[in-house]
Amino acid sequence: MPTIAVNKADLFKALEKEYTTEEFDELCFDFGIELDEDTTNSQRPVVNGAQEPPQLKIEIPANRYDMLCFEGIAMNLRVFLRKNTLPNFKLVPPSDGELQTTYVSEDTARIRPYFSCSILRNIKFTKSRYESFIALQDKLHQNLARQRTLVAIGTHDLDTIKGPFSYEALPPEQIKFAPLNQTGEMTGKEMMEFYEAHRQLSKYLHIIRGSPVYPIIYDSNRTVLSMPPIINSNHSKITLETKNVYIDITATDKTKVEIVNHMLVAMFSMYCEEPFTIEPAKIVSPHNNCSRETPDLTPRPTQASINYINEVCGLSLSPDELCKLLERMCYQATPSTSSPGMLDVQVPITRADVLHQADIMEDVAIAYGFNKLPRHFPNKSASVAAALPINKLADIVRHEAAIAGWAEVMPLILCSHDENFAWLQRRDDGATAVRLQNPKTAEYQIVRTSLLPGLLKTVRENRHHGVPMKVFEVGDVCFKDETQERKARNERHFAAAWYGKTSGFEAVHGLLDRVMLMLKSAFLTREEGLANDKVEGYWIEEVDDPTFFPGHAASVNLKLGGKQHVIGVFGMLHPTVLKNFDLPYPASTLEINLEVFL
């Protein structure tokens, strides 16, 4: 969790009370944060000839982006202590009605496609406010922005630049400006070399270095504002004397770019001449349908079940009481007039962490007081724990295979795309396997749709053992399924592999017969299975499957509950498959779906 250091005297002044360390520690616990250290009695560093004032180091939950600075901590604790309600953030257009406009080039889609911005007018910086402003940007870069890979922030003295602005993507040789705290101009390529040894900026260079174009922001005079996510221009840098701040935010994540904008303006608009006012800006980005005015300060509407909150917390509070508690956590809530038993909740721009009614329930528990919650959970329905039916079924199959002399293995559920498809001579239709969005290695690219790759890799890695090898696995495979809430479903499969100097086809067939017998499925001839709808059992049919040697593979057909299913396939592996998995001896495999037996 991020640890935020704040000036102790300033925070207690903002909270209008002098707390002892123990009292403030208890307040932090009540709010769901943690006091890590009070440096009052510690040896503090000397800065500019004076000892650093006492600080409170507070651990903040990683998803509470609104508490990554002094201003956010003070504001949230004041609301929690009922000293005031959440401020009403307002958009105030400029007096002439002309919004500052930024034009986004289509070329930016090649590097950092999303852009947002806002303006803080007539802001008054002090040394501590300025340092907090910079520190919040650093914390957001490290936390939400994932080291600037997802989002990068630039802040500029608006009085030194002139709109309209343009956000473009240009070859590095065409970019030239004096970077922050430098007097000489450099090209984009020269800056990459210049900052290679820089202690802070060097770790961000890789984000755009390999791209043929770099993102760049200009004003109407072609004066550079910044080259995100690396560095701002020295021309527009903000100082303690800055009165008007232009904030630019570039991103690869459409959601996070707005969250960062909200956090910056919500925390520091309090220092504007008219507190909590923000000047909107216009973005023209037609190529990706992102033309809009930002920031959007409209609270996000959602609902929460009154019964759900009370039951989980073990309480029996009225809707009005729940609404008052939610006010302490920066929400606006009212009993719903359209949905009985629900609360209409307005989630403010500062609470990007709220994703579900479970988050609202947690905030009710915090506002009510964790120590005041009932110490027992009401026993409304007694039940006895039991294994899931699919797990009981899997254990039966696992037990029988082990008794038959086969060794159980447990490979990983992730595998490479080639192992799951090309090496088994199977085609990927694009609608079967669940892919990892950003795999770290080529070995783990998809969630397996078959147990065979894991079995064959296990055999390959144990070739130094004697043959024959008889291994099996009972485990889950995964398939895409648009009908499911999560767009995917698991299936429990049973698979076995024989590897030796002979094919072992008869051994695999025998294991199939044994498992089906224990599952109370009688063997039928194909004619019996197809002719009589009332007869239940299984039969095998020759199948043409490229994974197996031609003429040496069969599908397993099951008639159960009046329905016919093809539950699996077994056979002798094709020589090409054996070669792909680096297996010199023949092998036979079996794989069936167990879930049809439930």
Side-chain angles (χ1 to χ4, degrees):
M1 294 193 299
T3 299
I4 310 300
V6 298
N7 186 291
K8 180 178 179 179
D10 289 346
L11 183 60
F12 287 175
K13 181 180 179 181
L15 299 180
E16 302 175 16
K17 181 178 177 179
E18 289 293 326
Y19 291 87
T20 65
T21 301
E22 292 74 20
E23 288 173 338
F24 187 73
D25 188 27
E26 185 175 349
L27 173 62
C28 289
F29 174 82
D30 289 342
F31 189 71
I33 57 181
E34 183 178 348
L35 177 61
D36 185 55
E37 183 183 358
D38 181 351
T39 65
T40 302
N41 299 319
S42 303
Q43 185 66 33
R44 302 189 299 277
V46 175
V47 180
N48 296 328
Q51 190 177 42
E52 180 185 74
Q55 291 190 329
L56 298 171
K57 296 183 179 180
I58 305 171
E59 286 193 1
I60 305 297
N63 62 347
R64 287 302 300 266
Y65 315 121
D66 58 323
M67 298 186 70
L68 293 176
C69 61
F70 166 86
E71 290 74 13
I73 294 173
M75 180 179 66
N76 279 281
L77 290 179
R78 283 185 61 84
V79 174
F80 181 71
L81 294 170
R82 294 194 173 98
K83 294 187 179 297
N84 56 256
T85 59
L86 183 71
N88 180 28
F89 302 104
K90 296 186 298 182
L91 291 176
V92 178
S95 55
D96 60 5
E98 291 292 327
L99 300 184
Q100 291 286 1
T101 302
T102 302
Y103 294 90
V104 179
S105 166
E106 188 173 352
D107 288 336
T108 58
R110 301 168 62 185
I111 180 70
R112 295 179 79 83
Y114 301 113
F115 183 85
S116 188
C117 58
S118 55
I119 296 170
L120 296 176
R121 285 281 184 187
N122 298 314
I123 191 170
K124 184 176 181 181
F125 281 121
T126 62
K127 184 175 182 296
S128 60
R129 293 174 183 178
Y130 178 85
E131 291 174 349
S132 182
F133 188 53
I134 301 301
L136 175 59
Q137 295 175 54
D138 289 339
K139 291 292 184 183
L140 289 171
H141 279 150
Q142 295 166 21
N143 187 352
L144 177 66
R146 297 291 187 270
Q147 300 293 336
R148 301 192 190 183
T149 56
L150 300 180
V151 183
I153 307 164
T155 53
H156 313 277
D157 188 333
L158 186 58
D159 295 328
T160 65
I161 50 183
K162 182 181 179 182
F165 306 102
S166 62
Y167 172 42
E168 306 173 18
L170 299 175
E173 297 80 10
Q174 297 181 20
I175 296 171
K176 191 171 186 180
F177 67 100
L180 189 65
N181 298 325
Q182 301 293 325
T183 55
E185 291 188 343
M186 309 178 199
T187 65
K189 186 176 181 179
E190 290 170 341
M191 269 182 270
M192 289 295 167
E193 298 172 354
F194 181 78
Y195 287 111
E196 268 186 345
H198 195 279
R199 186 170 61 89
Q200 293 176 321
L201 296 181
S202 58
K203 58 187 176 183
Y204 306 126
L205 301 182
H206 71 93
I207 300 173
I208 63 171
R209 191 168 204 165
S211 172
V213 292
Y214 291 178
I216 191 78
I217 302 174
Y218 291 102
D219 74 353
S220 60
N221 296 321
R222 301 300 288 177
T223 301
V224 172
L225 277 65
S226 65
M227 186 178 75
I230 308 302
I231 196 163
N232 293 340
S233 163
N234 192 59
H235 176 84
S236 59
K237 69 177 180 181
I238 62 172
T239 65
L240 291 179
E241 286 71 40
T242 297
K243 300 298 181 185
N244 301 302
V245 177
Y246 176 77
I247 302 171
D248 74 68
I249 306 161
T250 60
T252 58
D253 188 294
K254 192 174 183 179
T255 300
K256 290 182 172 60
V257 71
E258 301 301 342
I259 293 175
V260 168
N261 200 352
H262 288 160
M263 295 306 145
L264 287 170
V265 299
M267 296 304 106
F268 287 90
S269 59
M270 66 172 65
Y271 300 134
C272 292
E273 187 174 59
E274 184 182 349
F276 307 111
T277 60
I278 301 100
E279 181 178 314
K282 184 178 180 181
I283 298 172
V284 179
S285 184
H287 64 278
N288 57 1
N289 296 319
C290 287
S291 298
R292 65 203 188 281
E293 292 182 8
T294 60
D296 182 1
L297 304 182
T298 307
R300 175 164 43 95
T302 188
Q303 287 189 323
S305 167
I306 296 170
N307 287 338
Y308 170 78
I309 295 173
N310 279 326
E311 286 180 5
V312 174
C313 296
L315 302 173
S316 56
L317 300 177
S318 68
D320 290 334
E321 289 174 319
L322 292 175
C323 292
K324 289 180 180 178
L325 291 176
L326 287 173
E327 286 181 6
R328 298 186 65 191
M329 304 304 293
C330 297
Y331 298 92
Q332 292 178 344
T334 57
S336 178
T337 56
S338 59
S339 304
M342 304 293 286
L343 295 178
D344 290 331
V345 182
Q346 300 294 321
V347 182
I349 61 170
T350 57
R351 295 301 307 274
D353 59 298
V354 178
L355 305 176
H356 187 271
Q357 67 172 351
D359 300 307
I360 297 173
M361 174 276 298
E362 180 187 11
D363 282 340
V364 168
I366 291 173
Y368 184 84
F370 282 131
N371 287 331
K372 297 178 184 178
L373 293 174
R375 295 302 178 107
H376 66 281
F377 194 80
N379 185 12
K380 294 187 176 181
S381 60
S383 61
V384 178
L388 292 172
I390 186 61
N391 289 336
K392 293 176 69 174
L393 176 62
D395 286 343
I396 292 172
V397 176
R398 184 179 288 115
H399 184 69
E400 289 304 319
I403 287 178
W406 296 66
E408 184 176 13
V409 298
M410 300 181 70
L412 297 174
I413 197 170
L414 299 180
C415 64
S416 76
H417 185 273
D418 283 347
E419 290 168 350
N420 196 81
F421 290 105
W423 288 13
L424 294 176
Q425 301 195 109
R426 293 176 177 173
R427 185 176 60 85
D428 180 13
D429 60 5
T432 302
V434 176
R435 288 177 172 267
L436 274 66
Q437 185 175 19
N438 185 26
K440 296 301 181 185
T441 68
E443 192 175 359
Y444 307 120
Q445 295 174 316
I446 66 170
V447 184
R448 63 186 180 182
T449 61
S450 169
L451 300 182
L452 296 187
L455 291 178
L456 297 179
K457 287 194 294 182
T458 301
V459 171
R460 179 188 67 197
E461 298 305 320
N462 289 274
R463 286 174 302 176
H464 58 282
H465 290 293
V467 293
M469 271 189 273
K470 302 186 293 181
V471 294
F472 77 93
E473 181 188 3
V474 181
D476 282 348
V477 296
C478 185
F479 299 98
K480 286 183 179 179
D481 189 344
E482 294 297 325
T483 64
Q484 301 295 315
E485 181 183 3
R486 293 174 178 82
K487 309 301 181 184
R489 60 180 169 84
N490 285 6
E491 269 187 14
R492 188 68 54 88
H493 281 202
F494 165 70
W498 167 289
Y499 173 73
K501 294 183 179 180
T502 61
S503 69
F505 182 88
E506 68 285 353
V508 169
H509 194 173
L511 178 63
L512 170 66
D513 290 340
R514 178 60 184 170
V515 168
M516 298 301 284
L517 177 63
M518 295 310 299
L519 294 175
K520 299 182 180 180
S521 294
F523 180 77
L524 307 173
T525 65
R526 180 178 182 274
E527 291 72 17
E528 289 175 324
L530 295 177
N532 193 337
D533 292 337
K534 296 182 179 179
V535 174
E536 294 189 347
Y538 78 99
W539 69 95
I540 60 175
E541 293 183 13
E542 183 177 345
V543 66
D544 183 15
D545 189 321
T547 301
F548 302 99
F549 198 80
H552 292 73
S555 63
V556 183
N557 299 265
L558 176 70
K559 181 173 284 187
L560 189 64
K563 295 182 179 180
Q564 181 179 333
H565 312 271
V566 178
I567 64 170
V569 64
F570 72 101
M572 185 190 308
L573 291 180
H574 196 284
T576 304
V577 175
L578 295 173
K579 182 179 179 181
N580 290 336
F581 284 93
D582 199 15
L583 299 176
Y585 293 139
S588 294
T589 63
L590 157 71
E591 183 170 10
I592 60 173
N593 177 13
L594 295 179
E595 300 207 358
V596 295
F597 293 96
L598 293 177

